[in-house]
Amino acid sequence: MAARRRTAPARRVPRRSAGVGATGLHHGRAARTRPGDGQAASAADAVRPALLGRGVGALRQVLAFEAPADLVLRRFFRDNADLGRRDRGFVAETVFACLRRLRWLSQLADGRDPRRLFILAADRLPAPTWRELRPVLSEDEQAWLARCRDCADAAAPLGVRADLPDWVVEIMRERFSDDAILAIGRGMQTPAPLDLRVNTVRVDRAQVLTALNAGGIEARATRYSPLGIRLVSKPALERHPLYLQGAIEVQDEGSQLLGFLLAPRRREMVADLCAGAGGKTLLLGALMHSEGRLYAFDVSAHRIRRLNARLARSGLSNVQPEVIAHENDVRLKRLAGKLHRVLVDAPCTGFGTLRRNPDLKWRHGAGALTDLTVKQSLILEAASRLVGPGGRLVYATCSFLAAENEDIVAAFLRRHPEFAVLNAQEILARQGIAIDTGERLQLLPQQHSTDAFYAAVLERRSA
């Protein structure tokens, strides 16, 4: 239970705009007319030599892949505090655009030269993030960039078009066609929207939508989650009254659906076994109307501290956060067979969040996947021991790899005939959520406009 993916805070540093990646990065050429196309750019639109140098330096640090990209950029901006908000946004957007299409841009750049990669990615940004590069490029660079604009990736290998590592493509080919792999890869090449979850202990969705739109933040109800709101832009929310009052939390719509699969009831005993910073824990607590007992377990004291801060805003009184040492901790053993429902949002590669964290595909290798699948099996075993007869167990990941999903569940069911699979689509339908997902939940960005999630709902039929 040691490995966890990062969760989205209310304000992300750096902030990313809603449109990065929608400009033709998919196919290799910039498709949008921008200021400066056929006309002189204003001084405000032009990149200064110093800014280009800073951006290249930031990308160079990120490409070392020694730490998560958002943490590297956070440190970079702290060390370069003189950069204004617009310049920080330009650098951050360019770095993440580069990471989303690193294989294709590296092919255009004949390698991973940070300057060439930064230029290519910056040239493909959408307005209003795009900035004019020509004043800081040599004549040779301008000619090279013009040639690159005419290049498309149609003839490139599948891994380059999907912008996934070859080892991932080969694993996916065991379950997916090449067309499906490409569709998933393309879906991961666009940035994720900013989704919120309404805390129904405090307020209802209609009230939040009214308040956000009245305050100039364009928002709409999400397609599937009854508690979700999707913002058109990505404003800073950490000082917004709704956030400070605990009325909203940042949470992807797909993540919200996991809570509805568990469907906890009032006065039940429930556990979120890999609680992290508590996004799903708080959702479960609200679905329980702050009644019963909800345990939030995690191996990280830091993440539990973050959960406690969010819990204080939420108004929930039924959550009991606890730090555990491992999946066999005595705190878990004391609850064996006593819980009505258990959620396992297992540590995984996080490949389902590549829209948000595109560096993950370059920081994970096949060896890491092997280690994770061992850990996932152990955690699922530990979780199953907590569930009493008739109880529900949801195993979930934010991954599209079968090795972390179907394979883990299939092996578990072979060992545990006392558990049976429930139909995820039917469970959601009974709660008014119409989504064509089948027996197992499998969300994909190109199909559902959410992060990629997998979930299997299991029920213990006997002791």
Side-chain angles (χ1 to χ4, degrees):
M1 298 175 67
R4 288 293 298 174
R5 64 182 177 274
R6 302 188 301 283
T7 56
R11 175 184 176 126
R12 285 163 291 178
V13 181
R15 287 195 303 152
R16 306 176 206 161
S17 71
V20 178
T23 65
L25 273 174
H26 286 181
H27 307 292
R29 66 166 59 95
R32 183 178 302 212
T33 301
R34 316 181 192 90
D37 288 348
Q39 63 183 29
S42 69
D45 287 328
V47 173
R48 305 179 306 279
L51 179 58
L52 178 60
R54 301 271 193 103
V56 171
L59 181 58
R60 180 178 289 109
Q61 291 183 27
V62 169
L63 290 178
F65 296 121
E66 294 175 350
D70 56 350
L71 297 182
V72 173
L73 285 177
R74 189 172 292 120
R75 290 197 296 262
F76 178 84
F77 291 130
R78 185 183 61 224
D79 296 339
N80 293 267
D82 59 312
L83 285 174
R85 174 175 164 182
R86 185 165 184 253
D87 288 347
R88 291 196 306 271
F90 170 73
V91 170
E93 296 283 2
T94 302
V95 167
F96 277 90
C98 178
L99 292 172
R100 290 190 187 100
R101 292 252 44 197
L102 185 58
R103 290 198 70 174
W104 171 238
L105 296 184
S106 296
Q107 183 167 308
L108 292 177
D110 294 322
R112 289 194 178 181
D113 176 71
R115 181 179 172 91
R116 281 194 158 200
L117 290 173
F118 191 89
I119 290 170
L120 285 168
D123 186 60
R124 288 158 169 77
L125 293 180
T129 311
W130 180 85
R131 308 275 286 275
E132 175 60 69
L133 291 168
R134 283 178 294 184
V136 295
L137 302 183
S138 68
E139 289 185 5
D140 286 346
E141 285 177 325
Q142 291 186 43
W144 162 76
L145 182 58
R147 292 192 299 272
C148 290
R149 285 172 175 164
D150 291 331
C151 295
D153 66 3
L158 177 60
V160 175
R161 286 179 289 146
D163 228 280
L164 295 169
D166 287 336
W167 70 268
V168 174
V169 172
E170 291 310 307
I171 290 176
M172 293 179 72
R173 275 178 163 153
E174 297 174 3
R175 300 292 177 93
F176 296 104
S177 68
D178 282 5
D179 286 345
I181 294 171
L182 182 59
I184 293 171
R186 296 289 199 211
M188 295 296 176
Q189 291 167 16
T190 57
L194 179 56
D195 290 347
L196 308 178
R197 177 185 56 80
V198 174
N199 177 13
T200 51
V201 173
R202 299 285 197 195
V203 68
D204 63 39
R205 183 164 66 173
Q207 291 172 307
V208 174
L209 283 169
T210 298
L212 288 173
N213 284 296
I217 298 177
E218 189 174 350
R220 59 179 175 81
T222 49
R223 180 180 179 184
Y224 302 114
S225 172
L227 305 180
I229 290 175
R230 180 158 295 175
L231 304 186
V232 173
S233 61
K234 295 188 177 179
L237 294 171
E238 82 284 1
R239 294 180 182 175
H240 195 284
L242 290 172
Y243 177 77
L244 295 175
Q245 295 163 9
I248 57 173
E249 286 284 348
V250 175
Q251 188 176 20
D252 180 77
E253 182 183 16
S255 177
Q256 296 178 39
L257 294 183
L258 300 184
F260 290 96
L261 285 180
L262 194 67
R265 299 169 180 166
R266 299 172 187 256
R267 294 181 291 279
E268 287 187 330
M269 292 182 65
V270 179
D272 185 355
L273 192 54
C274 304
K280 282 173 282 296
T281 302
L282 299 181
L283 167 58
L284 297 177
L287 293 177
M288 298 170 69
H289 301 273
S290 198
E291 298 181 20
R293 177 66 60 86
L294 173 56
Y295 295 95
F297 295 113
D298 202 88
V299 296
S300 168
H302 172 69
R303 289 192 288 263
I304 290 296
R305 284 194 295 272
R306 289 178 58 197
L307 188 160
N308 282 326
R310 300 169 77 180
L311 181 60
R313 293 194 304 271
S314 72
L316 295 172
S317 59
N318 65 333
V319 180
Q320 183 173 326
E322 294 192 23
V323 180
I324 56 176
H326 44 69
E327 67 273 2
N328 291 313
D329 193 288
V330 65
R331 295 173 182 83
L332 298 180
K333 291 182 177 179
R334 290 170 180 165
L335 295 173
K338 297 179 180 179
L339 301 187
H340 298 95
R341 300 175 195 249
V342 177
L343 172 63
V344 175
D345 182 19
C348 64
T349 57
F351 284 172
T353 69
L354 289 179
R355 299 181 304 168
R356 307 174 193 278
N357 307 304
D359 54 310
L360 284 176
K361 56 188 172 183
W362 309 119
R363 293 196 298 109
H364 278 306
L369 176 61
T370 300
D371 293 341
L372 282 168
T373 56
V374 172
K375 189 173 301 182
Q376 290 157 356
S377 294
L378 292 173
I379 293 172
L380 183 54
E381 283 286 341
S384 70
R385 293 192 287 269
L386 304 179
V387 181
R392 180 175 297 182
L393 171 60
V394 173
Y395 173 82
T397 73
C398 57
S399 173
F400 48 75
L401 298 181
E404 303 185 87
N405 299 333
E406 294 95 333
D407 294 352
I408 297 294
V409 173
F412 173 81
L413 291 173
R414 287 194 294 269
R415 296 190 302 269
H416 294 278
E418 72 275 18
F419 279 89
V421 179
L422 301 183
N423 189 294
Q425 182 171 326
E426 293 176 359
I427 291 171
L428 294 175
R430 286 196 291 270
Q431 298 170 84
I433 301 172
I435 182 170
D436 184 11
T437 182
E439 185 179 66
R440 317 286 176 94
L441 181 75
Q442 182 69 77
L443 302 176
L444 295 169
Q446 77 278 9
Q447 183 177 349
H448 304 102
S449 298
T450 68
D451 287 345
F453 276 96
Y454 169 88
V457 185
L458 310 175
E459 182 178 83
R460 181 186 285 276
R461 296 293 172 86
S462 61

